[in-house]
Amino acid sequence: RRIPPEGWAALARAADCQVEHWDSDEPIPDKELERGVAGAHGLLCLLTDRVDKRLLDAAGANLKVISTMSVGVDHLALDEIKKRGIRVGYTPDVLTDATAELAVSLLLTTCRRLPEAIEEVRNGGWTSWKPLWMCGYGLTQSTVGIIGLGRIGQAIARRLKPFGIQKFLYTGRQPRPQEAAEFQAEFVSTPKLAAESDFIIVACSLTPATKGLCNKDFFQQMKKTAVFVNISRGDVVNQDDLYQALAGGQIAAAGMDVTTPEPLPTNHPLLTLKNCVILPHIGSATYGTRNTMSLLAANNLLAGLRGEPMPS
């Protein structure tokens, strides 16, 4: 479908391929995708396009490269794709900074209650200065827990460090002493991270091990004053459990750039809560980043079609 101009220009310039294009900003319907991919040699897809066995069967034996304009690959049936010898390109690194900026923005927005404050100005709730009105939680001297100290997790820690964070904790598949050294971050168990952090940021990839990781038990272990932020994938969080934790005052607030499903239905219980800030998955949404992602996705596709090494 429509991708940012730099990527589209790279495809348009390529004389050795013919592009069939779903000319819309909305996702392509499954049936249209199955029809369009039949006989194709390459597929450029987005994270909303599920590439499973059925779609691969519909594509047939010609398909030799799949390029996704995303860093996440949980929408791709990788085992099935590997079995068929199809090469896969993705767009890591290029969205790290934009996503880390958004994570910090979302953390500050949530812990300082900015949406609530803006609403009070609009609805006449702002009367006089009051000592405890609209008080939130500050970052100075706090403990920040990061779930997943990969590229994005490290970029978030790097940006938070100047706020005067006292201590960084992290959890993941294994300790990363070299990466953690920059922040003197301590590798701990998930329950310990939940119990000791003032702010928790989820920045891990979605895997069978992380699906539903942040659930009732996790939220019960958190401090009542703690703020929870998720910029990874919606399925890492059990949203029913999160709702209960927020509504019952078990944790202070939550900020999410990702949900299940996406878009979140407008009647979802989480949207009734003042202490929950939800954004429409805009982590990488800067003009520069999206253009770079589209160009990398196009270059991955073209290199794969030409039998050359793919950039990513």
Side-chain angles (χ1 to χ4, degrees):
R1 68 167 129 149
R2 287 180 199 145
I3 60 170
E6 288 186 22
W8 182 245
L11 292 178
R13 277 196 307 270
D16 53 349
C17 70
Q18 184 186 347
V19 182
E20 190 181 338
H21 182 210
W22 176 251
D23 192 13
S24 169
D25 287 324
E26 295 307 315
I28 183 168
D30 290 346
K31 285 277 166 269
E32 284 293 322
L33 181 56
E34 283 176 28
R35 187 197 58 72
V37 81
H41 295 90
L43 171 66
L44 196 155
C45 65
L46 308 191
L47 52 80
T48 45
D49 304 317
R50 190 149 293 286
V51 181
D52 53 15
K53 185 179 186 300
R54 200 178 69 178
L55 188 70
L56 294 167
D57 287 343
N62 276 350
L63 190 65
K64 57 184 182 185
V65 58
I66 294 166
S67 174
T68 180
M69 194 182 125
S70 66
V71 67
V73 290
D74 42 282
H75 57 301
L76 307 179
L78 290 178
D79 291 344
E80 192 62 39
I81 291 167
K82 204 172 188 175
K83 242 189 265 179
R84 298 168 191 239
I86 298 167
R87 300 167 77 190
V88 173
Y90 71 132
T91 60
D93 301 330
V94 296
L95 49 69
T96 301
D97 289 335
T99 306
E101 284 171 10
L102 192 276
V104 175
S105 308
L106 182 54
L107 176 61
L108 291 168
T109 297
T110 306
C111 70
R112 294 299 300 269
R113 300 169 66 181
L114 299 193
E116 275 183 86
I118 292 164
E119 188 51 37
E120 291 296 299
V121 175
R122 289 178 188 276
N123 68 21
W126 181 16
T127 53
S128 70
W129 188 89
K130 308 180 202 56
L132 287 173
W133 189 59
M134 279 290 121
C135 282
Y137 297 93
L139 293 171
T140 310
Q141 293 298 298
S142 68
T143 297
V144 172
I146 299 177
I147 298 177
L149 198 67
R151 283 183 293 261
I152 293 172
Q154 290 165 52
I156 292 167
R158 203 166 288 128
R159 283 159 176 75
L160 287 178
K161 199 177 171 184
F163 281 94
I165 307 300
Q166 188 169 32
K167 189 176 178 185
F168 284 102
L169 305 175
Y170 75 101
T171 184
R173 279 192 297 261
Q174 72 264 331
R176 307 184 67 151
Q178 276 178 296
E179 291 85 348
E182 183 184 342
F183 322 104
Q184 285 88 55
E186 185 188 342
F187 183 74
V188 295
S189 67
T190 304
K192 186 175 164 76
L193 181 139
E196 294 185 9
S197 300
D198 299 302
F199 303 97
I200 294 173
I201 301 170
V202 184
C204 58
S205 50
L206 178 63
T207 66
T210 61
K211 188 171 180 168
L213 176 72
C214 302
N215 56 15
K216 188 179 177 180
D217 290 347
F218 182 92
F219 297 125
Q220 278 176 343
Q221 285 156 348
M222 283 174 64
K223 298 177 181 182
K224 277 188 160 35
T225 53
V227 173
F228 175 84
V229 167
N230 181 20
I231 52 95
S232 62
R233 284 290 184 266
D235 278 335
V236 176
V237 177
N238 181 315
Q239 288 177 175
D240 294 338
D241 293 351
L242 176 63
Y243 173 80
Q244 296 300 336
L246 288 166
Q250 206 167 18
I251 66 173
M256 325 247 284
D257 185 40
V258 286
T259 58
T260 303
E262 290 182 2
L264 197 65
T266 53
N267 62 353
H268 195 281
L270 283 172
L271 295 173
T272 65
L273 300 172
K274 281 187 172 178
N275 59 343
C276 187
V277 178
I278 297 180
L279 302 178
H281 202 149
I282 54 169
S284 64
T286 68
Y287 291 112
T289 297
R290 291 281 170 87
N291 256 314
T292 307
M293 284 172 75
S294 74
L295 183 59
L296 179 54
N299 287 336
N300 278 333
L301 181 77
L302 294 170
L305 289 172
R306 292 163 185 162
E308 297 164 2
M310 290 160 73
S312 285

